[in-house]
Amino acid sequence: MKGASSSRSTALAQLDKYGSIAAFALLIIAFSAISEHFRAGSNYMNIIVQAAPLMIIALGVNFINMAGESDLSLGGVIGVCASLFCGLIGKGASPLAAAAVAVAAGLAFAAVDGLMVAYAGLSSFIVTISIMFLSMGVEMTYSKGASLWIRDNPILVIVNGSILGVPNLVVIALALFAASYILMHKTKLGVHVQAVGQSTDAARYAGIPIKRLKFLMFLLGGLFYALGGMLNSLRSSGSIIYSGQKLLLPALAITFIGKTVLGSKKSNVPGILVGALMMSAINNAFTMLGVSFYFTTIVQGLVLLIAAGFSVGNRKTILQEDLR
Amino acid sequence: MGNNYLLEFKDICKRFPGVRALSNVSLGIRKGEIHALMGANGAGKSTLIKILARVYSQDGGEILLDGKDISRATTETIRDLGVEFIFQELELVQDFSAAQNILIGVEPTKGLVIDRNRMLREAQAAMDAFMPETVDVSSSVSSLSVAKQQMVCIVRALYRDPKILVLDEPTSRLSATETEALFAAIRRLRRERGITVIYISHRMEDIYAICDRVSILRDGEMVGSYALEELSRQDIVYKMVGEDIASPSRGRVAGARAQEGKPKLSVAGLCLERHLRDVSFDVYPGEVFVLTGSVGSQKTELIESIIGIRKADRGTVRIDGKEVRLQGAGSAKSAGICLVPEDRRRNGVIYDFAVRSNSSLAFLSRWTGALGAISRKREKADTEKMADFLSIKTASVETLVKTLSGGNQQKVVIAKWLLGDSTVYFFDEPTVGIDVKGKSEIYEIIKTLSSQGKAIVVATSDIEEAMRIGDRIAVMFEGGIQGIVDSDEADKQRMTYLAMGGRQ
């Protein structure tokens, strides 16, 4: 009896650990079987390129999640960064200067989030949803509701080009992924952030500066939103109003898919890679299958819900831990 | 005595809403001594220690370390002053490895990156120095037993080479060999590094095995500090409990009727991994059955397993001879069972609700009319009657519960369950943090309930209290019942012996 139950629990643990990766593989196989457009060789690279900006943004939220907070502000902040970037280039600013302004804007909003949440102790949900609407207003005010296009700028060629057949966007995204992985999983800082996110008491015991780390994670998030927002606009040659809104739901879905990867049920960096590819593949497949784009948010909402369900830890353990 | 104290508490005062936790507590700790801090539950030991740890800040008084006031320190900086704590709550990151937890905050790095191999090596060495071949530090903390998690906490504190080490009930989760390893480590550190230790425990054995001096707190006041050889065990118990309850009143109403008829509640063979080992007992209508035992004896866990808040691995619970499978407070309520929980601040009352709404919360449907609306008039009348019956000291039933004293808050919790007409009542530490007068009022309520034929189970760490209110007393030790004693035959020494793991 005991043997049976323990082999069952190891099977469950394996499912926990690799279930979402297996689900990802199954999705790819299924989509490839159904659609010849999906299985076309170049489409796979398309999926990866489409995933790149989204993954960078999800890496940004993930920093904040790993510190035990949530962030919805990206829904507006990304739009501000992208429209500033595109608008300034349109007015003749150098891409570098425009990027500096966009990053500064991302950091500024993040600093407000961070101060309110980490230092003033407000709920991150409320603070960041306020900042989302506030920044959407800023974007609207700046762009006057118009789309801001970039035309004939060398930066378009650079970012959308490729090295040795690998698109530059993918190179940039992978570099940021690697840096995030090392920072969050290999350095003292990252491990301390994880401790803060998982057990504030234990972190406090260890003398870890909880407020400072949370604040820092918001800043990093703001930086990645700005980077992701700019790259996203370069991919589509301009910033369309409220572009951040469209990325909010997929980005949150990615973070929840990410939690289900590796079975820890905790926010982690590798999970973001899997989640971003999965979201991108789903979006791509729907386009290839000719499903109406009206339908896309419904599916994204469902994916978020399912991933959130799977990311909840084993109920029995939670109960016993909580009771201690 | 001269002022040769390494650490000195001066006139520390601390109030919580409705509870006076510490009043003018002064205490001096000498360098290199192992100083026991004792007191009944709720006497203020943990509060005092948490003020030292800066988890709470005191309302008055100061703490001097090497003559310097440390009130400015925070939870984050107090350890920089060389003070380490091992609290009752295991403050570990569950998903981290033991090694990560031991070296948290002081991880060795190679460049910017944590040197994982060196971390494992150092953590394993520290662990083995404490007790060889027990914990593989690369395993995640969540996979370790509670005892091993406790050892990880201990090793983490020792690794930092503290000047002062504060241990709050460190052995409640440890076996005899593990306890011996802890004592050996403490003795070695004192010999080699002159470490100073503040040791909080209920276990007399521990206190006499390792401590030099003892300070005793009672109801938030310092009774005094003594060299341990000056005091016998009885002296300590006497000073902890005080004179008020020295001669327990034996006016139990139900005593004679106890154990007549069929048992109301039968628990048989209850097991819960790491917590309970084969617990069986019966409670009869009109009987007050007391579970006693020190911290770590798993009284709360037993009650929670009966109610179904925890899922027992084995065993049965019967009500009136019929087996029931309870799933928590809700299903217990329908079965006529109620629990007055241990931590009233967290589980018992809603602070910002009035006495009326707190009391009526559990059985609101009693006062609902045809459309499901609550009849405020009847609700108010009934809660007023109950408040009267329990003599809850409140201006009116519309007063907010947070403004009441601890004892009156506890009565509100009791009111809530009395309004439901249950037949089995569980009280988990019903008098913790309540003054002497409040205590005796709660004893009266329990007596009245038993005279109405209710079956009552009271969990209490206070042996005096157990003897005062119980018809029969089950003494628990590490998740098992060591013996069940009729209160007429109960004597304190025998019960203390059982509570420390002795056999009947």
Side-chain angles (χ1 to χ4, degrees), chain A:
Chain A
M1 194 62 211
K2 199 175 175 190
S5 81
S6 76
S7 75
R8 201 175 129 239
S9 68
T10 30
L12 275 177
Q14 293 295 319
L15 189 68
D16 256 4
K17 211 163 178 178
Y18 303 112
S20 45
I21 294 175
F24 175 59
L26 281 177
L27 266 181
I28 297 292
I29 293 167
F31 287 147
S32 302
I34 299 167
S35 163
E36 56 177 308
H37 299 298
F38 188 88
R39 66 174 172 265
S42 64
N43 190 46
Y44 292 122
M45 188 50 92
N46 253 342
I47 292 173
I48 296 171
V49 173
Q50 284 165 357
L54 205 50
M55 184 187 77
I56 295 169
I57 289 160
L59 283 172
V61 203
N62 190 55
F63 290 128
I64 295 155
N65 292 161
M66 286 180 85
E69 300 292 349
S70 52
D71 188 6
L72 302 172
S73 71
L74 69 107
V77 172
I78 287 168
V80 174
C81 297
S83 58
L84 276 175
F85 179 65
C86 296
L88 288 172
I89 290 180
K91 284 183 183 137
S94 82
L96 215 58
V101 174
V103 166
L107 291 177
F109 284 117
V112 176
D113 286 337
L115 284 175
M116 296 285 198
V117 175
Y119 289 97
L122 302 183
S123 141
S124 60
F125 181 80
I126 298 298
V127 168
T128 61
I129 208 165
S130 314
I131 294 296
M132 178 180 85
F133 285 111
L134 193 149
S135 51
M136 280 165 67
V138 171
E139 180 189 0
M140 183 60 109
T141 311
Y142 176 76
S143 67
K144 310 218 164 42
S147 297
L148 303 165
W149 302 108
I150 304 175
R151 293 191 185 84
D152 307 327
N153 196 299
I155 185 77
L156 283 174
V157 183
I158 297 172
V159 170
N160 292 316
S162 56
I163 308 171
L164 302 171
V166 184
N168 288 345
L169 259 177
V170 175
V171 174
I172 296 170
L174 285 180
L176 288 172
F177 171 79
S180 307
Y181 176 74
I182 291 171
L183 179 71
M184 298 309 288
H185 290 280
K186 294 289 169 195
T187 72
K188 230 163 140 161
L189 182 119
V191 170
H192 288 181
V193 170
Q194 289 184 48
V196 170
Q198 291 176 30
S199 167
T200 318
D201 286 336
R204 188 172 293 127
Y205 180 99
I208 290 170
I210 296 165
K211 293 172 184 173
R212 205 186 314 154
L213 287 182
K214 282 192 175 177
F215 182 72
L216 193 63
M217 289 302 110
F218 271 101
L219 284 188
L220 265 180
L223 172 66
F224 274 56
Y225 299 157
L227 295 174
M230 288 188 289
L231 292 173
N232 191 50
S233 64
L234 286 171
R235 220 172 58 76
S236 50
S237 307
S239 167
I240 303 157
I241 187 73
Y242 293 162
S243 55
Q245 276 282 286
K246 296 189 187 67
L247 296 171
L248 176 60
L249 198 53
L252 291 187
I254 290 169
T255 59
F256 277 97
I257 295 170
K259 282 191 188 188
T260 68
V261 174
L262 300 179
S264 70
K265 312 272 187 193
K266 300 280 166 17
S267 298
N268 64 83
V269 175
I272 298 300
L273 180 63
V274 178
L277 290 173
M278 197 144 148
M279 270 327 270
S280 180
I282 292 170
N283 285 342
N284 180 283
F286 275 67
T287 317
M288 293 301 162
L289 291 169
V291 179
S292 161
F293 73 92
Y294 298 127
F295 211 65
T296 319
T297 38
I298 298 181
V299 173
Q300 286 176 346
L302 285 176
V303 171
L304 174 55
L305 210 55
I306 293 166
F310 278 108
S311 68
V312 175
N314 183 325
R315 190 166 278 150
K316 192 175 171 190
T317 32
I318 281 187
L319 194 65
Q320 290 190 351
E321 300 296 331
D322 285 354
L323 283 167
R324 267 250 59 90

Side-chain angles (χ1 to χ4, degrees), chain B residues 50-80:
Chain B
K50 287 193 167 162
I51 289 175
L52 175 61
R54 309 315 294 158
V55 175
Y56 306 137
S57 51
Q58 68 271 31
D59 301 329
E62 57 181 359
I63 303 176
L64 304 176
L65 177 62
D66 276 332
K68 275 180 288 231
D69 187 18
I70 60 158
S71 300
R72 285 263 184 80
T74 66
T75 49
E76 284 161 19
T77 58
I78 182 72
R79 287 164 186 96
D80 299 340

Side-chain angles (χ1 to χ4, degrees), chain B residues 354-363 367 383 412 415-417 419:
Chain B
V355 171
R356 171 180 52 74
S357 9
N358 260 302
S359 320
S360 62
L361 193 62
F363 297 99
W367 301 283
T383 48
V412 172
K416 173 163 70 182
W417 295 108
L419 280 164

Side-chain angles (χ1 to χ4, degrees), chain B residues 10 14 49 66 115 160 162 173 192 206 209 211 230 266 285 314 348 355 404 410 430 433 458 465 468 495:
Chain B
K10 277 185 165 171
K14 181 71 190 173
I49 289 315
D66 276 332
D115 186 344
R160 285 158 174 75
R173 298 187 180 88
E192 293 171 3
D206 289 7
C211 297
E230 285 173 18
S266 306
R314 243 177 305 136
V355 171
L404 304 186
Q410 184 69 310
V458 181
E465 178 170 292
R468 181 163 175 188
M495 306 234 295

